[in-house]
Amino acid sequence: MHDAGRSAAPLMSNPRADRVKEAAKLAGRSARLKTGRFLAEGPQAVREALVAHRAAVADGRPGVVVEAYATQACLDRLPELAELADQATLRLATDEVLAAMADTVSPQGIVAVCRIQSPSLDDVLATRPKLLAVMCEVRDPGNAGTILRAADSAGADAVILTASSVDIHNPKAVRSTVGSLFHLPVVSGVDFAELSSRLRTAGITILAADGYGSQDLDSLQDSSALRRLAPVSGDLAQAPADAGPRLEDPTAWLFGNEAQGLAEDELAAADYRVAVPVYGQAESLNVGTAATVCLYASARAQNR
Protein backbone atom coordinates (compact mmCIF):
# COMPACT_ATOMS: atom_id res chain seq x y z
CA MET A 1 0.00 0.00 0.00
CA HIS A 2 1.01 3.56 -0.53
CA ASP A 3 1.86 5.70 2.49
CA ALA A 4 0.15 9.11 2.44
CA GLY A 5 3.42 10.67 3.52
CA ARG A 6 5.60 9.03 0.87
CA SER A 7 5.52 9.55 -2.89
CA ALA A 8 5.50 6.60 -5.30
CA ALA A 9 7.66 8.65 -7.68
CA PRO A 10 9.38 12.04 -7.67
CA LEU A 11 7.01 14.97 -7.20
CA MET A 12 5.54 16.12 -10.50
CA SER A 13 5.98 19.89 -10.62
CA ASN A 14 6.11 20.81 -14.31
CA PRO A 15 2.63 21.72 -15.61
CA ARG A 16 3.99 21.65 -19.18
CA ALA A 17 5.28 18.07 -19.02
CA ASP A 18 4.11 15.68 -21.75
CA ARG A 19 2.30 13.47 -19.24
CA VAL A 20 0.33 16.48 -18.01
CA LYS A 21 -0.55 17.56 -21.54
CA GLU A 22 -1.76 14.06 -22.44
CA ALA A 23 -4.04 13.99 -19.42
CA ALA A 24 -5.41 17.45 -20.23
CA LYS A 25 -6.26 16.34 -23.78
CA LEU A 26 -8.75 13.83 -22.35
CA ALA A 27 -11.19 16.72 -21.94
CA GLY A 28 -11.68 16.34 -25.70
CA ARG A 29 -13.72 13.54 -27.25
CA SER A 30 -11.16 12.76 -29.95
CA ALA A 31 -8.46 12.06 -27.36
CA ARG A 32 -10.80 9.83 -25.38
CA LEU A 33 -11.70 7.85 -28.49
CA LYS A 34 -8.05 7.53 -29.51
CA THR A 35 -6.73 6.44 -26.13
CA GLY A 36 -9.76 4.71 -24.59
CA ARG A 37 -9.20 6.79 -21.47
CA PHE A 38 -10.94 9.59 -19.61
CA LEU A 39 -10.32 11.83 -16.61
CA ALA A 40 -12.04 11.58 -13.23
CA GLU A 41 -11.69 14.61 -10.97
CA GLY A 42 -12.20 15.14 -7.26
CA PRO A 43 -12.04 12.87 -4.19
CA GLN A 44 -15.42 11.16 -4.59
CA ALA A 45 -15.00 10.20 -8.24
CA VAL A 46 -11.40 9.08 -7.77
CA ARG A 47 -12.29 7.12 -4.64
CA GLU A 48 -14.94 5.14 -6.53
CA ALA A 49 -12.55 4.65 -9.44
CA LEU A 50 -9.92 3.22 -7.10
CA VAL A 51 -12.45 0.90 -5.45
CA ALA A 52 -13.53 -0.35 -8.88
CA HIS A 53 -9.86 -0.71 -9.84
CA ARG A 54 -9.15 -2.92 -6.85
CA ALA A 55 -12.17 -5.12 -7.56
CA ALA A 56 -11.20 -5.54 -11.21
CA VAL A 57 -7.61 -6.48 -10.40
CA ALA A 58 -8.79 -8.95 -7.74
CA ASP A 59 -10.98 -10.60 -10.40
CA GLY A 60 -8.09 -10.82 -12.83
CA ARG A 61 -9.48 -8.09 -15.09
CA PRO A 62 -7.65 -4.98 -16.34
CA GLY A 63 -7.62 -2.24 -13.75
CA VAL A 64 -9.82 0.83 -14.09
CA VAL A 65 -7.24 3.45 -13.04
CA VAL A 66 -4.16 3.97 -15.18
CA GLU A 67 -2.66 6.65 -12.93
CA ALA A 68 -3.85 8.95 -10.16
CA TYR A 69 -2.29 12.30 -9.31
CA ALA A 70 -2.76 13.97 -5.94
CA THR A 71 -1.31 16.77 -3.86
CA GLN A 72 0.22 15.94 -0.51
CA ALA A 73 -2.34 18.23 1.14
CA CYS A 74 -5.17 16.15 -0.36
CA LEU A 75 -3.65 12.87 0.87
CA ASP A 76 -3.05 14.34 4.33
CA ARG A 77 -6.70 15.38 4.44
CA LEU A 78 -8.03 12.11 2.94
CA PRO A 79 -5.50 9.35 3.73
CA GLU A 80 -7.93 6.63 2.65
CA LEU A 81 -7.29 7.63 -0.97
CA ALA A 82 -3.62 6.70 -0.60
CA GLU A 83 -4.64 3.45 1.10
CA LEU A 84 -6.86 2.54 -1.85
CA ALA A 85 -4.10 3.19 -4.39
CA ASP A 86 -0.78 1.43 -4.82
CA GLN A 87 2.66 2.82 -5.53
CA ALA A 88 2.41 2.05 -9.24
CA THR A 89 -0.84 3.98 -9.53
CA LEU A 90 -0.51 7.05 -7.33
CA ARG A 91 1.82 9.98 -8.01
CA LEU A 92 2.32 13.16 -6.04
CA ALA A 93 1.85 16.40 -7.95
CA THR A 94 1.69 20.10 -7.29
CA ASP A 95 -1.44 22.20 -7.43
CA GLU A 96 -0.16 23.75 -10.66
CA VAL A 97 0.14 20.32 -12.32
CA LEU A 98 -3.37 19.31 -11.29
CA ALA A 99 -4.79 22.62 -12.50
CA ALA A 100 -3.14 22.04 -15.89
CA MET A 101 -4.59 18.52 -16.14
CA ALA A 102 -8.12 19.11 -14.92
CA ASP A 103 -11.17 20.44 -16.71
CA THR A 104 -12.31 22.28 -13.58
CA VAL A 105 -10.71 25.35 -12.07
CA SER A 106 -10.33 23.52 -8.75
CA PRO A 107 -9.98 19.71 -9.00
CA GLN A 108 -9.85 19.40 -5.18
CA GLY A 109 -6.35 17.99 -5.12
CA ILE A 110 -6.76 14.73 -7.02
CA VAL A 111 -7.46 13.43 -10.52
CA ALA A 112 -7.25 10.00 -12.13
CA VAL A 113 -6.72 8.83 -15.69
CA CYS A 114 -9.14 5.92 -16.14
CA ARG A 115 -9.75 3.28 -18.77
CA ILE A 116 -13.11 3.49 -20.53
CA GLN A 117 -15.05 0.35 -19.76
CA SER A 118 -16.92 -0.85 -22.86
CA PRO A 119 -19.48 -3.55 -22.04
CA SER A 120 -21.66 -4.61 -24.94
CA LEU A 121 -25.42 -4.94 -25.15
CA ASP A 122 -24.87 -8.70 -25.28
CA ASP A 123 -22.98 -8.54 -21.99
CA VAL A 124 -25.84 -6.69 -20.30
CA LEU A 125 -28.65 -8.87 -21.65
CA ALA A 126 -26.77 -12.03 -20.69
CA THR A 127 -27.22 -11.07 -17.02
CA ARG A 128 -31.05 -11.19 -17.42
CA PRO A 129 -31.49 -7.61 -16.18
CA LYS A 130 -34.57 -6.52 -14.27
CA LEU A 131 -34.16 -2.76 -14.60
CA LEU A 132 -32.48 -0.71 -17.32
CA ALA A 133 -32.26 3.04 -17.90
CA VAL A 134 -32.06 4.05 -21.57
CA MET A 135 -31.08 7.57 -22.60
CA CYS A 136 -32.41 8.46 -26.04
CA GLU A 137 -30.66 11.53 -27.44
CA VAL A 138 -30.04 12.97 -23.98
CA ARG A 139 -27.54 15.70 -24.80
CA ASP A 140 -26.87 17.58 -21.57
CA PRO A 141 -23.93 16.17 -19.56
CA GLY A 142 -25.53 17.16 -16.27
CA ASN A 143 -28.79 15.40 -17.09
CA ALA A 144 -26.96 12.31 -18.30
CA GLY A 145 -24.96 12.18 -15.09
CA THR A 146 -28.09 12.65 -12.99
CA ILE A 147 -29.88 9.81 -14.76
CA LEU A 148 -26.90 7.50 -14.34
CA ARG A 149 -26.65 8.37 -10.66
CA ALA A 150 -30.40 7.77 -10.22
CA ALA A 151 -30.09 4.41 -11.98
CA ASP A 152 -27.24 3.45 -9.66
CA SER A 153 -29.20 4.53 -6.58
CA ALA A 154 -32.29 2.61 -7.71
CA GLY A 155 -30.27 -0.56 -8.21
CA ALA A 156 -30.60 -0.67 -11.99
CA ASP A 157 -28.59 -3.35 -13.75
CA ALA A 158 -27.18 -1.09 -16.47
CA VAL A 159 -27.48 2.22 -18.29
CA ILE A 160 -27.71 2.37 -22.07
CA LEU A 161 -27.14 5.45 -24.25
CA THR A 162 -28.28 5.62 -27.87
CA ALA A 163 -25.91 6.72 -30.59
CA SER A 164 -27.05 10.36 -30.51
CA SER A 165 -26.68 10.84 -26.77
CA VAL A 166 -23.94 12.75 -24.98
CA ASP A 167 -20.56 11.11 -24.35
CA ILE A 168 -20.90 9.93 -20.74
CA HIS A 169 -17.12 10.27 -20.35
CA ASN A 170 -17.33 14.01 -21.01
CA PRO A 171 -15.71 15.67 -17.96
CA LYS A 172 -18.96 17.42 -16.97
CA ALA A 173 -20.93 14.17 -17.24
CA VAL A 174 -18.33 12.26 -15.23
CA ARG A 175 -18.46 14.87 -12.47
CA SER A 176 -22.24 14.83 -12.35
CA THR A 177 -22.32 11.05 -11.82
CA VAL A 178 -20.42 11.61 -8.53
CA GLY A 179 -18.71 8.23 -8.87
CA SER A 180 -21.73 6.21 -10.00
CA LEU A 181 -20.11 5.78 -13.41
CA PHE A 182 -17.87 3.17 -11.78
CA HIS A 183 -20.72 1.19 -10.19
CA LEU A 184 -22.70 -0.32 -13.07
CA PRO A 185 -22.29 -1.21 -16.75
CA VAL A 186 -22.77 1.67 -19.18
CA VAL A 187 -23.30 0.80 -22.85
CA SER A 188 -22.85 3.70 -25.28
CA GLY A 189 -23.58 4.31 -28.95
CA VAL A 190 -26.38 1.75 -29.28
CA ASP A 191 -28.63 1.81 -32.35
CA PHE A 192 -32.15 2.32 -31.06
CA ALA A 193 -33.90 0.04 -33.56
CA GLU A 194 -31.57 -2.82 -32.64
CA LEU A 195 -31.97 -2.07 -28.95
CA SER A 196 -35.76 -2.14 -28.97
CA SER A 197 -35.75 -5.41 -30.91
CA ARG A 198 -33.27 -7.03 -28.53
CA LEU A 199 -35.18 -5.87 -25.45
CA ARG A 200 -38.41 -7.31 -26.77
CA THR A 201 -36.75 -10.62 -27.62
CA ALA A 202 -35.36 -10.73 -24.07
CA GLY A 203 -38.87 -10.32 -22.64
CA ILE A 204 -38.16 -6.89 -21.17
CA THR A 205 -41.08 -4.46 -21.06
CA ILE A 206 -40.24 -1.11 -22.67
CA LEU A 207 -41.74 1.89 -20.90
CA ALA A 208 -41.47 5.39 -22.37
CA ALA A 209 -41.39 8.24 -19.88
CA ASP A 210 -43.79 10.58 -21.68
CA GLY A 211 -45.67 13.53 -20.21
CA TYR A 212 -48.60 12.74 -22.52
CA GLY A 213 -48.64 9.01 -21.84
CA SER A 214 -51.94 7.23 -21.29
CA GLN A 215 -50.57 5.30 -18.32
CA ASP A 216 -50.25 7.10 -14.98
CA LEU A 217 -47.22 6.19 -12.85
CA ASP A 218 -49.15 6.59 -9.60
CA SER A 219 -51.85 4.18 -10.83
CA LEU A 220 -49.22 1.66 -11.85
CA GLN A 221 -47.71 1.83 -8.37
CA ASP A 222 -51.16 1.34 -6.83
CA SER A 223 -51.75 -1.71 -9.03
CA SER A 224 -48.39 -3.14 -8.02
CA ALA A 225 -49.25 -2.65 -4.35
CA LEU A 226 -52.61 -4.41 -4.81
CA ARG A 227 -50.96 -7.41 -6.42
CA ARG A 228 -48.46 -7.58 -3.60
CA LEU A 229 -51.06 -7.36 -0.85
CA ALA A 230 -53.73 -9.60 -2.34
CA PRO A 231 -53.58 -13.15 -0.85
CA VAL A 232 -53.28 -16.19 -3.06
CA SER A 233 -56.90 -17.03 -2.29
CA GLY A 234 -58.01 -13.94 -4.16
CA ASP A 235 -60.25 -12.70 -1.35
CA LEU A 236 -59.04 -9.14 -1.86
CA ALA A 237 -59.75 -7.23 -5.03
CA GLN A 238 -57.08 -7.82 -7.62
CA ALA A 239 -55.87 -5.20 -10.07
CA PRO A 240 -57.70 -5.62 -13.40
CA ALA A 241 -55.94 -7.61 -16.10
CA ASP A 242 -55.82 -4.56 -18.38
CA ALA A 243 -54.32 -2.26 -15.73
CA GLY A 244 -51.23 -1.71 -17.87
CA PRO A 245 -47.61 -2.69 -17.34
CA ARG A 246 -46.44 -4.41 -14.19
CA LEU A 247 -43.67 -2.39 -12.60
CA GLU A 248 -42.35 -5.53 -10.93
CA ASP A 249 -41.57 -7.13 -14.31
CA PRO A 250 -38.19 -6.72 -16.08
CA THR A 251 -38.31 -3.17 -17.44
CA ALA A 252 -36.35 -0.78 -19.63
CA TRP A 253 -37.28 2.88 -19.15
CA LEU A 254 -36.77 5.24 -22.10
CA PHE A 255 -35.82 8.85 -21.29
CA GLY A 256 -35.76 11.38 -24.11
CA ASN A 257 -34.10 14.53 -25.29
CA GLU A 258 -34.36 17.57 -22.99
CA ALA A 259 -36.07 19.79 -25.55
CA GLN A 260 -38.04 17.45 -27.81
CA GLY A 261 -38.60 14.45 -25.55
CA LEU A 262 -38.75 11.01 -27.11
CA ALA A 263 -38.95 10.80 -30.91
CA GLU A 264 -41.96 9.23 -32.61
CA ASP A 265 -40.09 6.02 -33.45
CA GLU A 266 -38.94 5.73 -29.85
CA LEU A 267 -42.48 6.20 -28.55
CA ALA A 268 -43.79 3.72 -31.10
CA ALA A 269 -41.27 1.11 -29.96
CA ALA A 270 -42.44 1.31 -26.35
CA ASP A 271 -44.96 -1.15 -24.96
CA TYR A 272 -46.52 1.64 -22.90
CA ARG A 273 -46.19 5.40 -22.53
CA VAL A 274 -46.14 6.40 -18.88
CA ALA A 275 -46.70 9.90 -17.49
CA VAL A 276 -45.44 11.12 -14.14
CA PRO A 277 -48.40 13.07 -12.69
CA VAL A 278 -47.79 16.75 -12.00
CA TYR A 279 -49.93 18.03 -9.13
CA GLY A 280 -48.66 21.60 -9.08
CA GLN A 281 -48.40 24.24 -11.79
CA ALA A 282 -45.07 23.19 -13.32
CA GLU A 283 -45.37 22.46 -17.03
CA SER A 284 -43.21 19.35 -16.79
CA LEU A 285 -40.35 17.68 -14.97
CA ASN A 286 -36.70 17.88 -15.91
CA VAL A 287 -35.65 14.59 -17.55
CA GLY A 288 -33.25 13.81 -14.72
CA THR A 289 -35.97 14.28 -12.12
CA ALA A 290 -38.51 12.28 -14.12
CA ALA A 291 -35.98 9.47 -14.54
CA THR A 292 -35.39 9.36 -10.79
CA VAL A 293 -39.11 9.07 -10.06
CA CYS A 294 -39.67 6.36 -12.69
CA LEU A 295 -36.66 4.26 -11.77
CA TYR A 296 -37.51 4.35 -8.08
CA ALA A 297 -41.10 3.33 -8.82
CA SER A 298 -39.83 0.22 -10.60
CA ALA A 299 -37.18 -0.44 -7.95
CA ARG A 300 -39.78 -0.31 -5.17
CA ALA A 301 -42.08 -2.71 -6.99
CA GLN A 302 -39.26 -5.11 -7.84
CA ASN A 303 -37.74 -5.15 -4.37
CA ARG A 304 -40.90 -5.62 -2.33
Side-chain angles (χ1 to χ4, degrees):
M1 289 301 162
H2 182 79
D3 186 337
R6 187 181 75 247
S7 62
L11 175 71
M12 292 182 61
S13 59
N14 181 6
R16 292 178 294 279
D18 289 343
R19 188 187 297 270
V20 178
K21 292 178 181 178
E22 291 302 311
K25 288 179 182 178
L26 296 176
R29 182 178 176 84
S30 60
R32 294 195 296 273
L33 290 174
K34 180 180 179 180
T35 63
R37 297 175 179 181
F38 68 101
L39 204 64
E41 303 177 25
Q44 181 63 25
V46 175
R47 180 185 293 110
E48 300 310 313
L50 290 170
V51 170
H53 178 86
R54 270 196 170 189
V57 171
D59 289 343
R61 295 179 284 117
V64 173
V65 177
V66 178
E67 287 181 324
Y69 303 90
T71 63
Q72 187 63 59
C74 175
L75 298 182
D76 289 343
R77 186 175 71 253
L78 300 167
E80 69 272 18
L81 295 176
E83 289 299 318
L84 283 170
D86 57 38
Q87 291 194 12
T89 301
L90 183 62
R91 295 174 179 270
L92 284 181
T94 63
D95 288 321
E96 291 76 18
V97 165
L98 288 184
M101 285 183 178
D103 181 65
T104 56
V105 175
S106 176
Q108 301 177 66
I110 189 165
V111 301
V113 175
C114 303
R115 292 184 178 88
I116 293 175
Q117 308 299 299
S118 302
S120 68
L121 185 57
D122 286 339
D123 295 332
V124 168
L125 295 180
T127 66
R128 301 175 63 87
K130 293 183 63 179
L131 183 58
L132 299 171
V134 181
M135 297 188 224
C136 301
E137 299 189 41
V138 173
R139 304 284 174 78
D140 181 79
N143 284 332
T146 297
I147 294 171
L148 196 155
R149 190 179 181 190
D152 179 23
S153 299
D157 297 288
V159 170
I160 299 170
L161 293 93
T162 64
S164 299
S165 291
V166 69
D167 179 3
I168 198 64
H169 297 100
N170 173 305
K172 292 181 180 178
V174 173
R175 287 197 299 274
S176 64
T177 72
V178 198
S180 286
L181 178 61
F182 301 103
H183 295 167
L184 72 172
V186 180
V187 185
S188 299
V190 178
D191 176 75
F192 181 77
E194 177 190 359
L195 172 64
S196 58
S197 175
R198 296 288 304 280
L199 292 174
R200 190 160 283 107
T201 299
I204 297 172
T205 301
I206 304 174
L207 300 183
D210 175 25
Y212 301 99
S214 59
Q215 299 291 328
D216 178 275
L217 185 62
D218 277 1
S219 297
L220 297 184
Q221 292 184 91
D222 290 344
S223 296
S224 177
L226 281 173
R227 285 190 292 270
R228 186 175 70 249
L229 295 173
V232 176
S233 63
D235 289 341
L236 295 180
Q238 299 277 349
D242 60 351
R246 292 164 47 98
L247 292 177
E248 55 267 42
D249 290 345
T251 299
W253 279 99
L254 307 183
F255 304 112
N257 177 266
E258 294 85 352
Q260 285 82 36
L262 290 162
E264 285 303 319
D265 62 321
E266 294 160 351
L267 290 170
D271 296 301
Y272 299 93
R273 305 180 187 185
V274 181
V276 177
V278 175
Y279 297 110
Q281 299 183 53
E283 179 186 359
S284 62
L285 291 174
N286 167 275
V287 65
T289 304
T292 302
V293 174
C294 293
L295 291 167
Y296 263 91
S298 285
R300 185 173 188 272
Q302 293 178 356
N303 287 286
R304 291 288 178 176

